[in-house]
Every structure is written in structure tokens, then in C-alpha cells.
Amino acid sequence: MNKPLPVVVLISGRGSNLEAILDAIADGELPVEIRAVISNRPNAAGLQRPALLGIRTIVIDHACYASRRAFEAVLQTTIDAFEPDLLVLAGFMRILAPEFVSHYRGRILNIHPSLLPEFPGLNTHQRVLDAGKRESGATVHFVTPEMDGGPAVLQARVPVIVNDDAGLLASRILEQEHRILPMAIRWFAEGRLRLDATGGVIFDGAALKRPRILLPEAQEPT
Ligand code: GRF
């Protein structure tokens, strides 16, 4: 068996995506070692579960720094001390400067609750509803300096249904986030997924022109 991939996870809040990663590791489905969980918010609920599991949890409160550059310098030094091969943004709600992102080129994955490139940024679900969309979803993508703009790797589609509101839609999409984030991390850990020198995604040795789509569980072949 290969050595588990060293990973650092950044969060800002609830941490349900982090929990999905931890569950997949516990189930033996994810060959990953979480070396640290770092939150930019001191009261992030998502710090509790890793702490109980004995994983290092660290708070680097962005509000304590005079500038983004100063915050990110400390963040980067802290992350690098753990020597991760992958950085996972699991509900990390700070925009990262190009210098920071470039330092981890090809080694950062993010989860975003829309079908990117549609609806980058915040307040996603309400904007989807306001636009009258009949479908939304979630995307795992490599992070590049452009916010929510890096190449998409894996998506799950979620229909918008009658009488949806932003909260209902968010919770159905969240269920899919919990499926696709561990799956994409597993691909990376298994060496199946990488970014090439030109910024394209390579999956199983071939260029990935479009993100893979994970079908709803009910439609997956048994
Ligand atoms: C998720 O919907 C994620 O896509 C978005 O923020 C939310 C974080 O949820 N960026 P959690 O902290 O993982 O529960």
C-alpha cells in the first residue's frame, strides 16, 4: 500500500465537507493523512471533530492581521511546516492572492456550490433561483488566481424544484458536495488527477476537456 497523501485542509465554518473527508478516511476509502486543519475563524464549528480525532487544529484569524499579505504569509508558513502534497479548501471563505495560489500551483482543490463556470462567488443559491435556473450543482476545481475560475474536475448536478428556496437548494447541493470532494481528493491521492504545465487537467493520463459528472446515487449502476 502506498503512503497516504499528506493533506492540509482550510475551513472557515461548519466543516461538513471536512467531515465527509474524515468519514471517507475512516471508511478506508481515502488514502490521505490530514496533517492539520486551519481555520481563519476562531469559532469555526468545523474545528471540533478533527480536534477530537487528534488532528492538529490551528486558528489564523485574518482579522488579527493588518493586510491580506500579512495574513497569507503566516498562513503559508504554517501550512508549509506540515509539508502537504495537497491543500483542500473545504468551505474556506477568504479570497487568496495570486502569489499564495501560485506557491501551491496544481496542489489546491476547492469545492464550490454551483456548476462552475456559472455562479462563481457568494450568495450562489439565491442568484441561481433569481435567474430562473432549473438546475444547479457543485464543482470541485483546481484553484488558480482567478476566484472560482480554475479548471473544474468533478461536478454533481442538482435539479431546482418547485418552491425551492436558497436554504433547501443549498442543503441538497451540500449532500452532493460531500460525495464529490472526497472522490476528487481520492483521484489526486491515487495519482489519477493532476494539473499539467499549461494549466489543463490530466485525468487517467489524458486531457480532461470537461469536468467529470457524478450521477445522482439513484442513477448509478449497481
Ligand atoms: C459549502 O457549501 C461550500 O461549497 C461553500 O461553503 C459551504 C461550506 O460548508 N464554499 P461546510 O463548512 O463544509 O459545511
Short mmCIF file of all heavy atoms in Angstrom, two decimals, residues 20 32 63 67 69 72 94 102 110 118 147 150 160 171 176 184 186 190 195 203-204 206 222:
data_model
loop_
_atom_site.label_atom_id
_atom_site.label_comp_id
_atom_site.label_asym_id
_atom_site.label_seq_id
_atom_site.Cartn_x
_atom_site.Cartn_y
_atom_site.Cartn_z
N ALA A 20 -17.00 15.00 5.74
CA ALA A 20 -17.14 14.00 4.68
C ALA A 20 -15.77 13.41 4.33
O ALA A 20 -15.64 12.20 4.08
CB ALA A 20 -17.78 14.63 3.44
N VAL A 32 -5.38 9.17 2.54
CA VAL A 32 -4.96 10.54 2.84
C VAL A 32 -4.69 10.66 4.34
O VAL A 32 -5.37 10.03 5.15
CB VAL A 32 -6.13 11.48 2.43
CG1 VAL A 32 -6.19 12.72 3.27
CG2 VAL A 32 -6.03 11.85 0.94
N ALA A 63 -8.67 38.56 10.88
CA ALA A 63 -8.99 39.88 11.45
C ALA A 63 -7.84 40.42 12.30
O ALA A 63 -7.81 41.61 12.63
CB ALA A 63 -10.27 39.79 12.27
N SER A 67 -3.08 43.29 6.91
CA SER A 67 -3.29 43.19 5.46
C SER A 67 -3.46 41.73 5.07
O SER A 67 -3.09 40.82 5.82
CB SER A 67 -2.07 43.75 4.71
OG SER A 67 -0.94 42.93 4.97
N ARG A 69 -1.84 40.34 2.74
CA ARG A 69 -0.48 39.82 2.53
C ARG A 69 0.11 39.27 3.84
O ARG A 69 0.70 38.19 3.86
CB ARG A 69 0.40 40.94 1.99
CG ARG A 69 1.81 40.53 1.67
CD ARG A 69 2.59 41.74 1.18
NE ARG A 69 2.24 42.09 -0.17
CZ ARG A 69 2.94 41.73 -1.24
NH1 ARG A 69 4.03 41.00 -1.09
NH2 ARG A 69 2.58 42.08 -2.45
N GLU A 72 -1.70 36.03 4.80
CA GLU A 72 -1.33 34.90 3.94
C GLU A 72 0.11 34.46 4.17
O GLU A 72 0.43 33.28 3.99
CB GLU A 72 -1.58 35.26 2.48
CG GLU A 72 -3.06 35.31 2.17
CD GLU A 72 -3.37 35.65 0.73
OE1 GLU A 72 -2.44 35.88 -0.06
OE2 GLU A 72 -4.57 35.70 0.39
N ARG A 94 -12.11 32.93 2.35
CA ARG A 94 -11.27 34.08 2.05
C ARG A 94 -10.74 33.98 0.63
O ARG A 94 -10.36 32.87 0.19
CB ARG A 94 -10.04 34.16 2.98
CG ARG A 94 -10.33 34.22 4.44
CD ARG A 94 -11.09 35.42 4.88
NE ARG A 94 -10.41 36.70 4.67
CZ ARG A 94 -10.99 37.88 4.86
NH1 ARG A 94 -12.26 37.96 5.21
NH2 ARG A 94 -10.30 38.99 4.67
N SER A 102 -0.17 30.66 -6.45
CA SER A 102 0.91 30.18 -7.32
C SER A 102 1.89 29.29 -6.56
O SER A 102 2.45 28.35 -7.11
CB SER A 102 1.68 31.36 -7.91
OG SER A 102 0.80 32.15 -8.65
N ASN A 110 -10.65 23.11 -4.51
CA ASN A 110 -11.71 23.84 -3.81
C ASN A 110 -13.06 23.22 -4.19
O ASN A 110 -13.22 22.68 -5.28
CB ASN A 110 -11.69 25.31 -4.27
CG ASN A 110 -12.75 26.16 -3.58
OD1 ASN A 110 -12.95 26.06 -2.37
ND2 ASN A 110 -13.44 27.01 -4.35
N GLU A 118 -20.64 28.77 -14.12
CA GLU A 118 -21.80 29.58 -13.74
C GLU A 118 -21.77 29.87 -12.24
O GLU A 118 -21.45 28.99 -11.44
CB GLU A 118 -23.09 28.85 -14.08
CG GLU A 118 -23.33 28.71 -15.57
CD GLU A 118 -24.80 28.47 -15.87
OE1 GLU A 118 -25.33 27.46 -15.39
OE2 GLU A 118 -25.38 29.31 -16.58
N MET A 147 -10.77 33.91 -8.96
CA MET A 147 -11.67 33.34 -7.97
C MET A 147 -12.69 32.38 -8.60
O MET A 147 -13.39 32.74 -9.53
CB MET A 147 -12.45 34.45 -7.25
CG MET A 147 -13.29 33.89 -6.11
SD MET A 147 -14.47 35.05 -5.43
CE MET A 147 -15.39 35.53 -6.84
N GLY A 150 -10.58 28.27 -11.60
CA GLY A 150 -9.65 27.23 -12.02
C GLY A 150 -10.38 26.07 -12.67
O GLY A 150 -11.60 25.95 -12.57
N VAL A 160 -33.26 22.15 -9.69
CA VAL A 160 -34.01 23.14 -8.90
C VAL A 160 -35.46 22.70 -8.96
O VAL A 160 -35.97 22.38 -10.04
CB VAL A 160 -33.83 24.55 -9.50
CG1 VAL A 160 -34.71 25.56 -8.77
CG2 VAL A 160 -32.37 24.97 -9.45
N SER A 171 -29.02 22.80 0.84
CA SER A 171 -28.83 21.54 1.56
C SER A 171 -28.80 20.35 0.61
O SER A 171 -28.04 19.40 0.83
CB SER A 171 -29.86 21.36 2.68
OG SER A 171 -31.14 21.30 2.11
N GLN A 176 -24.38 16.57 -2.24
CA GLN A 176 -23.54 16.20 -3.39
C GLN A 176 -22.10 16.66 -3.20
O GLN A 176 -21.17 15.98 -3.63
CB GLN A 176 -24.13 16.78 -4.69
CG GLN A 176 -25.53 16.30 -4.97
CD GLN A 176 -25.63 14.78 -4.99
OE1 GLN A 176 -24.79 14.10 -5.59
NE2 GLN A 176 -26.64 14.23 -4.31
N ALA A 184 -12.80 13.45 -5.60
CA ALA A 184 -11.74 14.15 -6.33
C ALA A 184 -10.41 14.08 -5.57
O ALA A 184 -9.34 13.93 -6.17
CB ALA A 184 -12.15 15.61 -6.57
N ARG A 186 -9.51 11.68 -3.67
CA ARG A 186 -9.01 10.31 -3.86
C ARG A 186 -8.30 10.19 -5.21
O ARG A 186 -7.22 9.61 -5.30
CB ARG A 186 -10.15 9.30 -3.76
CG ARG A 186 -9.61 7.87 -3.70
CD ARG A 186 -10.70 6.86 -3.50
NE ARG A 186 -11.39 6.59 -4.74
CZ ARG A 186 -12.68 6.32 -4.84
NH1 ARG A 186 -13.43 6.29 -3.76
NH2 ARG A 186 -13.22 6.08 -6.01
N GLU A 190 -4.45 9.14 -5.58
CA GLU A 190 -4.09 7.93 -6.33
C GLU A 190 -3.24 8.25 -7.57
O GLU A 190 -2.91 7.35 -8.34
CB GLU A 190 -5.36 7.19 -6.76
CG GLU A 190 -6.10 6.56 -5.57
CD GLU A 190 -7.45 5.98 -5.95
OE1 GLU A 190 -7.98 6.28 -7.06
OE2 GLU A 190 -8.00 5.23 -5.13
N LEU A 195 -2.67 18.71 -12.61
CA LEU A 195 -2.69 19.87 -13.50
C LEU A 195 -1.41 19.81 -14.34
O LEU A 195 -0.33 19.59 -13.79
CB LEU A 195 -2.68 21.13 -12.63
CG LEU A 195 -3.29 22.41 -13.16
CD1 LEU A 195 -4.78 22.23 -13.47
CD2 LEU A 195 -3.13 23.53 -12.13
N PHE A 203 -6.49 13.57 -16.44
CA PHE A 203 -7.18 12.55 -15.65
C PHE A 203 -6.94 11.20 -16.31
O PHE A 203 -7.20 11.04 -17.51
CB PHE A 203 -8.69 12.86 -15.60
CG PHE A 203 -9.46 11.86 -14.79
CD1 PHE A 203 -9.31 11.80 -13.42
CD2 PHE A 203 -10.33 10.97 -15.40
CE1 PHE A 203 -10.01 10.87 -12.65
CE2 PHE A 203 -11.03 10.04 -14.65
CZ PHE A 203 -10.87 9.99 -13.29
N ASP A 204 -6.42 10.27 -15.53
CA ASP A 204 -6.08 8.94 -16.04
C ASP A 204 -5.24 9.03 -17.33
O ASP A 204 -5.48 8.31 -18.31
CB ASP A 204 -7.35 8.12 -16.30
CG ASP A 204 -7.92 7.56 -15.00
OD1 ASP A 204 -7.23 7.62 -13.97
OD2 ASP A 204 -9.07 7.08 -15.03
N ALA A 206 -5.01 11.31 -19.65
CA ALA A 206 -5.50 12.04 -20.83
C ALA A 206 -6.05 13.40 -20.41
O ALA A 206 -6.50 13.58 -19.27
CB ALA A 206 -6.60 11.22 -21.53
N THR A 222 -25.44 -0.40 -10.44
CA THR A 222 -25.14 -1.13 -9.20
C THR A 222 -24.15 -2.25 -9.48
O THR A 222 -23.89 -2.60 -10.60
CB THR A 222 -26.41 -1.72 -8.57
OG1 THR A 222 -27.12 -2.40 -9.59
CG2 THR A 222 -27.24 -0.63 -7.97
#
